[in-house]
Structures are given as C-alpha cells and as structure tokens.
Amino acid sequence: MAPRPRAAEDSRWTALVESVRDAGQYPTAREAERITRIVLSALGGQVIGEERVALARALPEEAARVIASQIPATRRLTAAEFVDSVATRIEGATPATARWDVSSVLSVLPPLLGEALTTRILRELPRGYALLFGRADLGPRR
C-alpha cells in the first residue's frame, strides 16, 4: 500500500478531531484534539497484538502515532477502570466527565475502523467497552 500524501493525512486527522468535537460538543478544535490525544493514548495501552496494528493502520497517521507510542498493558482494564484512568489524565475531570470524553472519542472510531475491526477489538477488550464505542453491550460475560 502506497503512503498517503501528507496533506491527505493532515485532513484525516483534522476530520477525526472535528468528529470528536461534534460528538463531545467541545467549544474548540484545540480542546477536542487534546481529549482525542488523551483517550487514544489510553486506548493504545489496552489494544494489543494484531488488533493494535490494524487499529493503527485504520486511523490517521497522527492517531496511529499516539496509539503506537503506548506500552501495551500487562493487565487489561475494565471499562470503568479505563474511564477512571482517563479521568486522572484530564485536569478537573470527574468519572462522569471522563466517561463523556472517552465516549466522544471512541464512538467516532467505528466508521473509520469498519465493522469487522471494531468487533475484533471489542472481543479482545473486557466487557463494557462496547458502550464506550457507542454500541450495545450484548456479548457474553467473560
């Protein structure tokens, strides 16, 4: 696969940030970008193996760098623990505002990832993440 031109990659990142801005109703693109980076950084530690590689390939280059820069976690966080971990990275965040931020970012990813990859990622994560991705959590308990 040939590399995408730089301008195209920049516009894909801008489109991702704008989608997050719309989903989260953030007042500025700068705030949406900050939240996007924080949430993707946290996600980068939770998605491992082939799914992590596929996730990075499906996202804009800047998002892929954020994901790839994280060391994979040795223990996967539950969805609630994931939200709490994001709350610690955002000044003044509460569990409720962190959940909003996480959902604002993760819910815009499925159209970029496609149905198959989104499903694969959710199968690898503990139960509860589907809701953060804007999906019903109907999978069997682990």
Side-chain angles (χ1 to χ4, degrees), residues 59-131:
L59 294 175
E61 188 177 306
E62 185 61 26
R65 274 197 292 272
V66 171
I67 296 226
S69 70
Q70 301 308 302
I71 297 171
T74 56
R75 181 183 77 82
R76 295 239 175 104
L77 300 176
T78 66
E81 290 170 332
F82 180 78
V83 169
D84 289 345
S85 77
V86 169
T88 66
R89 300 175 187 207
I90 301 172
E91 186 177 334
T94 66
T97 62
R99 182 176 170 81
W100 178 268
D101 293 333
V102 168
S103 293
S104 295
V105 176
L106 298 186
S107 69
V108 303
L109 296 184
L112 296 172
L113 305 180
E115 185 69 26
L117 179 56
T118 301
T119 299
R120 281 179 32 215
I121 289 169
L122 290 173
R123 281 189 185 138
E124 294 300 317
L125 293 169
R127 186 167 178 167
Y129 278 83
L131 296 172

Side-chain angles (χ1 to χ4, degrees), residues 4-26:
R4 291 185 182 102
R6 185 83 203 136
E9 273 306 312
D10 289 347
S11 68
R12 288 183 72 223
W13 172 250
T14 299
L16 173 61
V17 170
E18 281 303 313
S19 293
V20 171
R21 182 178 179 188
D22 290 344
Q25 301 175 351
Y26 297 105

